[in-house]
Amino acid sequence: MVGGGHNALVAATYLARAGRSVLVLERLDHVGGAAVSASPFPGVRLSRYSYLVSLLPDQIVSDLGLRLTLRNRAVSSYTPVVRDGRHTGLLVGGSATEDSFRSLTGSDAEYQRWQEFYGSIARMAEVVASTLLSPLPSREVLRGLVADAAGANAWRWVFDQPLAQTLEEVFTDDVVRGVVATDGLIGTHTSLASPDLMANRCFLYHVIGNGTGDWRVPVGGMGAVTAELARVARESGVRVVTSAEVTAVSADGTTAEVGYRHDDVEHTVAARYVLSGVAPSVLDRLLGRPPRDTASGAQLKVNVLLDRLPRLRSGVPAADAFAGTFHLDESYSDLETAYRESAAGDLPLRPPGEMYCHTLTDRSIVDSPDGHTLTLFGLHTPTGLFADPRARDELVARYFAGLNRYLLDPIESCLTHVDGHPCLEVRTPLDLEAELAMPSGNIFHGALTWPYSSTPDWGVATDIANVLVCASSAQRGGGVSGIAGHNAAMSLLGSDR
Ligand SMILES: Cc1cc2nc3c(=O)[nH]c(=O)nc-3n(C[C@H](O)[C@H](O)[C@H](O)COP(=O)(O)OP(=O)(O)OC[C@H]3O[C@@H](n4cnc5c(N)ncnc54)[C@H](O)[C@@H]3O)c2cc1C
């Protein structure tokens, strides 16, 4: 197993339990890849990179016997808005949703459209989710399943036409369109109108998790998820070696050899199969091939610790506004403007992003009784922008200025300080490449792919028969899901009886 990300741990456990001898080689001194917790500030254990769980199927949790608590958030999202010079916003989640739509849009029509749209999406989600742990269906079969369950519109909206067209067909309000659109742009640098439908694929994977699309907070942070995966792997007999960087892979379809460096000593191990838990271009290099291009990642991750939550100008309590996803300058027009600016090589003037306060759902990650973590996941900040070393600080300043437009208390006044320094950590796509070997900082190891194929396989094959992909770049593999790991293990066990 090359790499010890969460997907590799899932694959390793299934294989070890099926009686295979499994070795996991991880270059860092810990497993988990982007699904880990860290303590950048005293008394805090936060999800350093990924933070919410949706795509991890209950079946994998139960097959592996993972002891996890995934907690629903009290609010789905809040979007602060200035309309006609008045501070207001859109609150989605619970009984306040309908009133919030009416007060923002002036009628009930947009809310009814929202209900109908997400009703169809939920029915689509159930059928697509039910196919993810099986060999890939054909496009025709999947289309039939979706159309039967959710109607032909659901298929067209998500699979056939650019997301921008869907948003303009279904919704009328710029802010409502933006709230829907953001699911198509997480970690994905594209226009919503792009004919390659990259945003549609990203949207799809953000709404189908476990058939509900609910994004839940892992209690104890992402580190708790990886700790459980590591526990079941070890208990199943998997041998995990950390600080072991794989330096070469050779395979002829039947046998394989993996070279790695551990404790400054070069090792070689022979294997029947190699499962790649790393990005495709990393595997290319290990195979001695020119690395393929990887679509740029596009997110800025900022984690801060606050003494208190800031009050909002709209009057909505901070404990409601920040309990779910806080959309910052993410209207449909904001998103497209920021895309155009960033694609032209400029820092977005009003960079869009979303914020999360995990401590409102899980207090176990912070020791102090009043402290709160706040995480920003910024959109449309591709790798190229960071060629200028000043870009990182300038973007953080623009995000803070954007947030402060909606706050009574400037965010800087709420930051916790230790030894005179604010508790703030920033990760650009370049940092992800350096720390996690995610090429171009792409959080999915590359552009996401459709969950169908003309060949009924598991979507984990490479051009070498005994090298399989057990990572994010497998078909249906993006996010913290373990799906790629499960499917690689099933593919191997199915072809090697
Ligand atoms: C900032 C950020 C926020 C995110 N937010 C979310 C979220 O909230 N929810 C969600 O579902 N997903 C989220 N994601 C995406 C998710 O984290 C990834 O899709 C997921 O981690 C992929 O898991 P993986 O096991 O396939 O690969 P990775 O997590 O990338 O793990 C690959 C492992 O391989 C190791 N490796 C690389 N090269 C070598 C080598 N030569 N030898 C040995 N080991 C090597 C790496 O060190 C790493 O440990 C986020 C990602 C990022 C970066």
Side-chain angles (χ1 to χ4, degrees):
M1 204 78 60
V2 182
H6 86 283
N7 265 314
L9 295 173
V10 169
T13 304
Y14 277 107
L15 291 170
R17 288 186 184 175
R20 305 306 159 112
S21 163
V22 188
L23 172 66
V24 173
L25 298 169
E26 166 57 50
R27 63 187 261 277
L28 298 175
D29 65 3
H30 57 270
V31 290
V36 291
S37 296
S39 296
F41 327 123
V44 177
R45 297 154 298 280
L46 54 75
S47 301
R48 171 160 273 164
Y49 309 103
S50 56
Y51 40 90
L52 290 174
V53 176
S54 172
L55 285 155
L56 176 63
D58 292 343
Q59 184 190 318
I60 293 182
V61 174
S62 119
D63 284 354
L64 300 189
L66 303 178
R67 298 193 287 252
L68 295 179
T69 306
L70 302 177
R71 205 169 274 166
N72 282 313
R73 300 174 296 164
V75 163
S76 174
S77 73
Y78 179 72
T79 309
V81 182
V82 182
R83 202 158 268 187
D84 304 325
R86 194 173 62 91
H87 279 272
T88 176
L90 180 66
L91 185 69
V92 179
S95 54
T97 309
E98 191 170 354
D99 282 350
S100 187
F101 267 83
R102 188 181 307 121
S103 130
L104 183 76
T105 64
S107 84
D108 286 329
E110 195 75 338
Y111 180 63
Q112 277 159 14
R113 290 189 279 265
W114 173 278
Q115 291 283 81
E116 279 162 24
F117 179 75
Y118 278 110
S120 296
I121 294 295
R123 292 191 293 279
M124 176 210 66
E126 260 185 65
V127 293
V128 177
S130 72
T131 66
L132 297 177
L133 298 179
S134 307
L136 287 152
S138 69
R139 181 177 161 92
E140 284 317 303
V141 165
L142 194 65
R143 192 208 322 248
L145 290 172
V146 170
D148 286 349
N153 276 345
W155 177 268
R156 185 168 52 81
W157 288 337
V158 179
F159 291 84
D160 264 354
Q161 66 187 23
L163 198 53
Q165 206 175 322
T166 300
L167 298 170
E168 292 182 15
E169 176 184 322
V170 178
F171 300 105
T172 57
D173 188 275
D174 192 39
V175 169
V176 176
R177 285 174 174 169
V179 171
V180 180
T182 54
D183 276 335
L185 298 174
I186 301 293
T188 301
H189 192 231
T190 187
S191 163
L192 295 156
S194 173
D196 65 12
L197 307 191
M198 213 199 305
N200 294 55
R201 280 170 270 150
C202 184
F203 178 82
L204 176 72
Y205 288 102
H206 280 86
V207 295
I208 58 173
N210 264 312
T212 65
D214 289 343
W215 285 89
R216 293 181 290 169
V217 174
V219 171
M222 270 299 177
V225 177
T226 285
E228 268 302 280
L229 290 170
R231 176 185 68 79
V232 296
R234 289 198 172 95
E235 287 176 5
S236 305
V238 174
R239 198 171 146 236
V240 178
V241 184
T242 52
S243 304
E245 176 161 9
V246 174
T247 50
V249 172
S250 62
D252 61 9
T254 313
T255 60
E257 223 174 56
V258 173
Y260 66 98
R261 192 179 308 113
H262 180 55
D263 287 341
D264 288 330
V265 178
E266 306 291 337
H267 301 260
T268 304
V269 61
R272 168 78 182 88
Y273 283 94
V274 174
L275 269 65
S276 168
V278 298
S281 71
V282 175
L283 179 63
D284 286 338
R285 257 199 307 274
L286 296 176
L287 287 166
R289 300 170 172 180
R292 72 196 73 182
D293 287 339
T294 304
S296 177
Q299 66 294 318
L300 188 77
K301 176 101 196 276
V302 181
N303 293 316
V304 297
L305 180 65
L306 305 177
D307 290 330
R308 65 196 159 95
L309 287 174
R311 290 168 302 157
L312 279 98
R313 289 184 188 277
S314 64
V316 169
D320 291 340
F322 290 106
T325 302
F326 183 98
H327 293 288
L328 179 62
D329 293 335
E330 289 191 324
S331 75
Y332 177 48
S333 49
D334 286 336
L335 290 167
E336 286 297 89
T337 302
Y339 173 72
R340 275 193 300 275
E341 291 168 338
S342 57
D346 298 323
L347 299 188
L349 271 178
R350 283 164 57 110
E354 33 208 74
M355 307 190 82
Y356 308 82
C357 178
H358 301 311
T359 37
L360 287 170
T361 309
D362 171 23
R363 290 250 23 122
S364 75
I365 58 170
V366 168
D367 289 342
S368 84
D370 303 318
H372 280 289
T373 62
L374 201 60
T375 281
L376 166 81
F377 189 97
L379 305 185
H380 292 329
T381 60
T383 319
L385 297 184
F386 299 95
D388 180 344
R390 292 166 302 182
R392 168 202 189 98
D393 288 350
E394 178 56 30
L395 266 174
V396 173
R398 289 187 193 189
Y399 273 115
F400 280 11
L403 179 61
N404 286 341
R405 276 197 290 275
Y406 304 106
L407 301 181
L408 282 174
D409 310 308
I411 190 69
E412 293 85 344
S413 70
C414 302
L415 289 174
T416 303
H417 284 71
V418 172
D419 298 333
H421 298 291
C423 291
L424 174 146
E425 73 163 14
V426 182
R427 291 293 185 276
T428 69
L430 293 179
D431 296 326
L432 298 186
E433 177 150 8
E435 292 173 9
L436 297 171
M438 283 181 156
S440 290
N442 190 308
I443 69 170
F444 305 125
H445 295 183
L448 293 165
T449 47
W450 293 114
Y452 55 72
S453 164
S454 51
T455 47
D457 59 24
W458 289 90
V460 298
T462 69
D463 62 345
I464 307 174
N466 61 339
V467 178
L468 304 177
V469 178
C470 68
S472 219
S473 64
Q475 261 180 291
R476 312 177 281 188
V480 177
S481 73
I483 292 173
H486 169 276
N487 290 351
M490 294 308 128
S491 173
L492 187 160
L493 294 171
S495 62
D496 190 37
R497 290 178 196 283

